[in-house]
Structures are given as structure tokens and as C-alpha cells.
Amino acid sequence: MNANPALLSSPHSDVLSPAALSSSSSSPEEATRRLLDEIKRRAKACVMTKDWYWADKLYARGIELLEGLDDDDGGGSGDDSNKKEELAILHSNRSLTLFHLTQLSQSQIEAQTAIDLNPDYVKAYWRLGQCSAALGDWDGALGAYEKAVEIDSRDDGEGGGKMVKALQKEVEKCKVKVEQERLLIMEGKFDDEAAAIGSASDGAGGGTNNRKKSVSTTTAAVAPAAATTKPTATSKPSVATGTTENATIVKGGGDDDEFTQSDHVRGYKIVNGKKTSFFHHEMTEEEKKLIGDIAPKKLNPNDSSGAAGTATGTGDATAAGAAAPAPTEGASAWNKAGTWEERDITAWASDTLTSTLLGCSYSVPDSDVTIKVVKANKMSELHDGGHASVAAVRGKKRYIYEFGYSLEWEMTGGNDEDDEDINGTLVLPDIDGTVASGEWHDVSDFTVVGGIKNSKRTFLMKYVRDGGLRQVIEDRIDDWVALLKATY
């Protein structure tokens, strides 16, 4: 085996390199057998991890080593059949690796080689069936799977019959594919291919393509008669008076282009000079008056532009508006069924919530220390910048909102020098409707700018993050939610 730089740099270079055998101090036969066992172990590990490339290289090297052994060293028993069975397994395994590397033709060759070495090896027929099916040779795949079923069914030894169910599934699948191909040929879908093969067979004296020629002849014999020509774009169908109001049924056409008597059943009719579906319906003026104006109205029924009184379309806006039932509160004037309807209030919610948070301030008891929010930054990277809406459905309102804020706080007052200019941030990432009134929102980050003493840190945790200012913020958010519901 010639040295290959790619192989020598691989994680398996110690067994793939030609020097793997020359470095052994034991006899050539023993060294080869030990190397072969190591190669098979590594190849199996590569298959388990789906490392198909190196599995293929290892199995190819194993085949090369095993073929180089004398017959009396193949299995250690002096029987040539043992060596053939072992070679069949290696070729079958290599067929699997090539199949996953999409080298289907070579995979098919390896599977067939395994069958030639051991005609009773079920997995070799399985591999051959897989490759044949992937190549579109459904007849070949069916034959391979059926042979595998036959062998596995009669094998009463260890592991015998365990693959029968899986193999039978593949047999049924192949039978369906073979039948589909046969029907396509009978329907003339392969006419061009069959005709070309038939012509080549005639020119060469025939003999090898008789099956394809017979298929072509059979196709011609069973081809259905030409269907009646449909109306062309230039021929205008004659129209007979129909029984449907504002519609007629197509009954005839130009030369040899007539519609049949069953066209009205198929769904053809003429409406206003245009052919359309038989189930198309043009509303009469009476029907239009009954349905009325169905154009969407403003969400607020009190909006003058909503024109709720014109819902009937009769022109008497006052009378119609008085007679119409009251819509669901918060829904459009036309939405009397109370189905889902949503109104975007993001701008109002964002402005009012920001101003609410900016007004948060807390005075520490028994001191002149004040802690307040000096800046409320809405976090654009969370919840798409935040949103809020109110929905009306089945007579009930749903309030939907979701915001994230980073609050900058500042502490002023106090007698210690450490109390001056202490500030930091408090992040509330999820101000939304999942938090009930009285519950606290999660804090994802709390920071203090600059270095402070541990005693002061405890003070800030108590009066900023875990209470004091935090309590004021939570109460103000609850007040804002109440304002939202009262406003909308």
C-alpha cells in the first residue's frame, strides 16, 4: 500500500500506514491478524459515530489485509469458508459506508461481492436492496429483499428470523414501486424511451430489447382514444337560455368545439357574458339591501366617522342606528358577534409608563436620604421595543402589554461622605400582564456605580433593590395598570 499524505495525517495513520506491519516484532501472520482486529474495531466505532469517510478507508484496508492472508490464516481453522465469510462481512460493511457517502454504484458492487463470497449472508442482500432502490432499480431491489426474506426465514440459528418483519416491509414497498412503474408504462408515460430502445433493437437485429419493444406495442394498443377537443380561444360558445337568474348554461360552440350536455354539471355557466363557476352567485339589489353596508367601521362606536347609523344601508341613518343592537363594549360598530378585535395602544402605554416610573422616589425613615429614579430607559432590544393593545372578544376585554425598562437611580442626602453621588441601575426586563397586582416583577440586573463600602452596599440592597424604592416602583406600576384598564 503506497503512502498517502492524507491518510498519514489522519487519526488512524498508525493502522492505515504501510509501516504498521513492518514495525511489529511478531510473525507476519500474527501481526496482520492483530492489525486486522484493530482496524475492524476502529471501523465499527466510526460507523457508530457516523464518520463514514474513515470507516470506508478502514474497511478497505481491512479487506486488503484479509485478502493477503493465506487461507489457513483467515479464520484460524484452516477452512477457506471462514475467510470468505469474514470477507463477506467486510464487503457488506463497506457497502454501508459507501451508501452513506452517496457512492451508490460502488456500494452496489461491494454488496454483490459480499453475496458472491457468502450467498447465505442476509445483510449483504439487505445492502444490495438499499442500493438498488436508491438507484431506482426497483426490480433488483425487490429480488434482493425477497432473497433475504427467504434466507432469514429458514435460518433457525442464533439471530435467525429477526429481520423478517423489516425485510417484508421493504418487499411490500418495492412491490408498490414496481407496480407503479408497470402502470406508467401501460399508460404510455414511457413511450419515447420505449420507442427509442425499440428502434435501436431493430437496427441491431433485435433480441436484447424485446421486452421494451413489446411494451411500446402494448402501449399503442391500449392507448385511449383522443378526447373531444375543447373550445379554442377564438371560438365563442353559443349560449342557451338557462333556468338560473342572471346566468345561462353553456350548451354549444363552434365547429367541433361544442360543450357537452353535462357541462352544467361540471360547473360551467355564463354570468354577464363571462364564463365562471356554476356556484358563483351575483347578489340582487334586494339582497344587497338586506345585507346592508358591511364595510369596516371605527373601533370606537362613538366616533362620528364610524357612521354606525348607516349599518343597514337604507339611507335612514337615524332610524337604522336606533334599531341596531348595541355592539360589544370596546368593539367596532359592525362587530356585533363579538369576535376577536384588537386595538394598538403602544404609544399611549409607553408614554404613560415612562412618566410613571420617572416619578418614583423614596425617603429613608429617620434620615434625610432620598432615593429616586432619574431616568427611565425603555429597552428596545426586548419585546421588539415593547407593545400594548386592548382586545375585545365575546363581550370581554383583554389587556396585552409587555415592556422592559432600565431605571437609573440616584441617592442624595445623608451625613457621611459616602452618601454623596451614589447612583446605579435597576433593570426590570418583563413588565407584562402575567404579573398580578401586588406581586413584584423580576429584576435581571442591579448595579452601583463606583466603589462603596460593604456596609453601604447592604444599605442599598435594603432600600433600593429589595425594598424602599423598589416597593414604590412596584406600587406605581400597579397604579399604571389600573389607569390602563380605566382608560380603555
Side-chain angles (χ1 to χ4, degrees), residues 298-306:
K298 291 289 186 180
L299 180 64
N300 186 355
N302 297 322
D303 193 329
S304 59
S305 61

Side-chain angles (χ1 to χ4, degrees), residues 357-371:
L357 294 172
L358 279 174
C360 294
S361 177
Y362 176 74
S363 298
V364 178
D366 302 327
S367 72
D368 58 352
V369 175
T370 301
I371 310 171

Side-chain angles (χ1 to χ4, degrees), residues 29 116 123 377 381 420 475:
E29 291 79 7
D116 295 340
K123 282 191 177 180
N377 301 313
E381 67 273 16
E420 298 180 2
D475 292 342

Side-chain angles (χ1 to χ4, degrees), residues 418-430:
D418 296 335
D419 293 339
E420 298 180 2
D421 300 326
I422 296 180
N423 55 77
T425 58
L426 181 71
V427 177
L428 302 175
D430 297 303

Side-chain angles (χ1 to χ4, degrees), residues 150-162:
E150 176 189 342
I151 296 171
D152 200 44
S153 298
R154 70 171 185 247
D155 187 1
D156 296 329
E158 184 179 354
K162 289 186 176 180

Side-chain angles (χ1 to χ4, degrees), residues 59-70:
Y59 280 127
R61 178 60 171 154
I63 292 170
E64 181 183 356
L65 290 173
L66 186 56
E67 288 177 341
L69 284 173
D70 294 335

Side-chain angles (χ1 to χ4, degrees), residues 70 83 90 117 394:
D70 294 335
K83 178 178 177 180
L90 291 178
L117 288 166
R394 302 299 178 190

